[in-house]
Amino acid sequence: MKSFENIDAKSVKEAVGLLSKFHQQKKLAAVVGGGSEFLQLMKDHVVEPDYVINLKTIPGLDYIREERGGFRIGALAKLADIEEHAAIRDKLLILAAAAGDAASPQIRNAGTIAGNLCQRPFCWYFRSSNFTCLRKGGQSCFTVTGDGRFHAILGAGPSYIVHPSDTAPALVALGAQIKIAGPAGEKNIPLEKFFLLPSVDYRRENILNPGEIVTEIFVPMPKAGSKGFHHKLRERQAWDHAIVAVDTIVESSGGVVRNAHVVMGGVAPIPWRATKAEEFLRGKKLDEASAKQAGELALEGAKPLKDNVYKIKLAQELIQRGLLASV
Amino acid sequence: MSKPMTRHADVQTIPVSFTLNGRLQEIDVEPNELLLDMVRDRLGLTGAKRSCDVQVCGACTLLVDGRPVSACTTLAFEVRGRSVMTIEGLADDGKLHPLQEAFIEHGGFQCGFCTPGMLLASKALLDENPNPTEAELKHFMHGNICRCTGYKKIVESIMAAAKKMRA
């Protein structure tokens, strides 16, 4: 593994300043939180910075605070702490479940919420030093002619990665906001707007510009009468990425939907919101037929590769099951 | 597999002071030195194994502040000011931990390569949850792979140790 110089940051401002300075000097630098994803990328030679800015030395960035309107989660809060947090389990169960479905306990004890949301793709071509794929500056996305069995069926092209975060679909379903600190100050944006489709930029997965870092996630308290569902389908029960994940939050009364959020993981380069299904469900009574139709609408326009047609049926079924469990 | 590290005079070194198996340990490390290399190659504690090297198998599991982490993908300097337990620290002055006794009694291992990680991960589990259900145990142990036993004997060993420790 390549050597680098470590700089212990003492504040968000210092970290942002250092990142901006290195960027201006055209030096390769990276910020590191929990480190498990960063070290994997280093070992795979995907990123090889000369300077590493250690965020863990910034005091008090790992909080989980319940406020009247929702939960504030510091960028360095560990996935294990979110999974085990009593109030999150009580009020944002799909987030606790999604955090608990990520990787392994060992990684959840190191990995942070910000790191989970900023993961690079786990596509085997992207991670292999034998392939210079489109996302790494090459000419083509090898999944198109190669093996794309775990890749995207929605929103893809020219790159077919799926976003690897388990917490992102749950957080988008919950309507979370993300706080970003940068040279120009702080900004809050809906988490949904954080992720980038490859048709917009196939070299990065989110809108973070040089010098910007994630500092906080805010999750509003779900409205009264809301119920959620989270399920991650994978090939093996331990340490695996989602083939299809579904996160729903349905606000209903007497079985009639007032508002539904339906978000999929493992099917698109971003957490994929099934807006057509959401619109269809508004004012509908949730039953087998309407849930089935919502599942079909959610996958409308899916463009599978030769190896991942199976994902369509899986996603439809899982949405149907999720919606029926959400009232 | 990561290459053995060459040490250069011009490379940054980071002083690390931490508790290792209950004793104060001080050592200088390079920024990219991995926790697993530090304990195995420089401190001679070879119980933790390098196997997958991609934080999937759990053979390199160590406890940092009581919680299991994959030492193959943890930077050595990350343990500054923290408490690290390796398998060498599990027995108390030569007296086996109840988990170790249970693994022997119930045949919780065959080749033994995963055992240090299994023991440390299950110690962390029982420290925070002395009476786990089998489902809780399996969820907690998802990061530890065994290719010999089929897990049944491991689950039995941990459950037996838990029972003994509660008594």
Side-chain angles (χ1 to χ4, degrees):
Chain A
M1 190 165 71
K2 185 187 168 297
S3 192
F4 53 81
E5 186 179 328
N6 175 69
I7 304 165
D8 291 330
K10 296 285 178 296
S11 67
V12 168
K13 204 176 159 197
E14 186 194 355
V16 166
L18 285 166
L19 258 189
S20 310
K21 184 189 85 180
F22 287 131
H23 179 67
Q24 280 161 11
Q25 295 173 347
K26 300 203 185 326
K27 287 176 176 163
L28 291 175
V31 290
V32 177
S36 51
E37 160 74 335
F38 167 73
L39 285 170
Q40 207 53 63
L41 291 166
M42 286 284 282
K43 285 183 176 187
D44 293 341
H45 308 285
V46 178
V47 298
E48 300 200 298
D50 296 313
Y51 299 91
V52 166
I53 300 157
N54 179 17
L55 301 177
K56 280 239 276 282
T57 43
I58 300 175
L61 207 57
D62 60 352
Y63 53 86
I64 300 176
R65 276 201 301 266
E66 185 181 355
E67 295 177 359
R68 198 184 306 162
F71 284 81
R72 289 192 187 280
I73 304 175
L76 294 184
K78 292 192 171 82
L79 294 175
D81 294 333
I82 294 168
E83 176 191 3
E84 291 161 14
H85 195 276
I88 288 185
R89 296 187 79 93
D90 183 32
K91 291 161 185 163
L92 308 173
L93 184 57
I94 66 167
L95 175 59
D101 265 351
S104 68
Q106 281 82 341
I107 293 176
R108 298 197 291 274
N109 286 329
T112 64
I113 187 69
N116 187 263
L117 295 171
C118 295
Q119 284 174 92
R120 302 302 313 274
F122 270 82
C123 168
W124 38 44
Y125 298 111
F126 178 78
R127 294 271 167 168
S128 166
S129 48
N130 296 328
F131 293 91
T132 305
C133 73
L134 187 65
R135 210 164 266 271
K136 290 192 290 193
Q139 295 301 308
S140 59
C141 175
F142 295 108
T143 51
V144 179
T145 49
D147 188 340
R149 76 183 88 164
F150 297 123
H151 293 73
I153 55 173
L154 284 160
S159 155
Y160 289 81
I161 62 136
V162 289
H163 200 277
S165 171
D166 286 312
T167 59
L171 285 166
V172 169
L174 287 160
Q177 302 258 322
I178 188 166
K179 191 189 271 186
I180 295 166
E186 277 185 347
K187 59 183 172 190
N188 270 298
I189 58 160
L191 180 63
E192 201 184 338
K193 308 260 184 244
F194 178 67
F195 303 101
L196 281 178
L197 283 173
S199 54
V200 179
D201 189 342
Y202 54 76
R203 297 295 301 276
R204 55 186 186 154
E205 294 77 44
N206 58 58
I207 60 165
L208 285 182
N209 286 312
E212 290 185 329
I213 60 174
V214 173
T215 58
E216 185 186 89
I217 308 297
F218 173 73
V219 193
M221 213 65 88
K223 292 211 173 71
S226 296
K227 203 174 163 197
F229 171 87
H230 162 83
H231 194 83
K232 174 182 172 183
L233 286 172
R234 43 189 156 177
E235 277 202 321
R236 56 193 286 270
Q237 280 313 300
W239 208 142
D240 209 352
H241 286 94
I243 292 173
V244 176
V246 167
D247 287 274
T248 64
I249 292 284
V250 176
E251 188 196 339
S252 66
S253 162
V256 177
V257 177
R258 213 172 295 144
N259 204 3
H261 285 178
V262 180
V263 186
M264 286 178 277
V267 297
I270 60 172
W272 191 260
R273 215 171 137 184
T275 39
K276 263 191 199 159
E278 293 178 0
E279 279 159 25
F280 162 78
L281 287 166
R282 201 163 295 136
K284 293 268 185 338
K285 191 163 176 65
L286 249 182
D287 53 24
E288 288 274 350
S290 62
K292 185 166 190 282
Q293 206 175 333
E296 283 161 7
L297 282 169
L299 274 296
E300 223 177 64
K303 290 195 185 72
L305 298 158
K306 64 180 166 50
D307 300 318
N308 63 8
V309 182
Y310 71 96
K311 283 195 177 191
I312 295 178
K313 192 77 182 149
L314 275 183
Q316 285 172 340
E317 293 280 338
L318 194 54
I319 287 173
Q320 187 182 344
R321 206 201 296 174
L323 287 170
L324 289 171
S326 302
V327 286
Chain B
M1 247 341 128
S2 64
K3 288 178 198 138
M5 266 201 330
T6 21
R7 301 187 156 264
H8 301 289
D10 59 338
V11 168
Q12 179 191 21
T13 56
I14 302 173
V16 177
S17 172
F18 68 109
T19 306
L20 177 62
N21 295 329
R23 291 206 182 90
L24 178 71
Q25 176 74 53
E26 286 177 331
I27 187 169
D28 287 349
V29 301
E30 292 183 8
N32 66 341
E33 192 165 340
L34 296 168
L35 180 58
L36 184 61
D37 294 322
M38 179 181 81
V39 298
R40 283 183 58 89
D41 300 345
R42 299 187 56 207
L43 298 171
L45 301 174
T46 54
K49 304 294 184 238
R50 167 167 271 123
S51 184
C52 74
D53 209 28
V54 291
Q55 53 190 340
V56 169
C57 76
C60 68
T61 299
L62 297 181
L63 301 187
V64 176
D65 290 343
R67 309 218 55 168
V69 300
S70 294
C72 75
T73 318
T74 303
L75 291 170
F77 74 78
E78 286 284 343
V79 301
R80 285 177 296 186
R82 302 173 79 181
S83 171
V84 176
M85 178 181 268
T86 70
I87 191 64
E88 288 84 354
L90 186 59
D92 185 11
D93 215 8
K95 189 183 172 332
L96 291 183
H97 186 276
L99 275 162
Q100 291 170 309
E101 287 176 343
F103 269 65
I104 293 169
E105 195 178 328
H106 296 267
F109 54 89
Q110 288 178 30
C111 88
F113 205 75
C114 72
T115 312
M118 288 287 176
L119 285 166
L120 288 175
S122 53
K123 179 192 187 298
L125 166 70
L126 297 187
D127 283 349
E128 77 176 51
N129 182 359
N131 192 9
T133 63
E134 200 169 306
E136 286 168 341
L137 187 160
K138 285 180 178 169
H139 183 71
F140 200 95
M141 302 293 290
H142 269 170
N144 294 79
I145 292 174
C146 172
R147 291 281 101 123
C148 303
T149 64
Y151 301 103
K152 193 169 184 298
K153 300 272 186 188
I154 293 174
V155 173
E156 281 171 16
S157 304
I158 298 168
M159 286 306 220
K163 198 173 169 192
K164 202 168 167 188
M165 287 163 73
R166 287 195 307 273

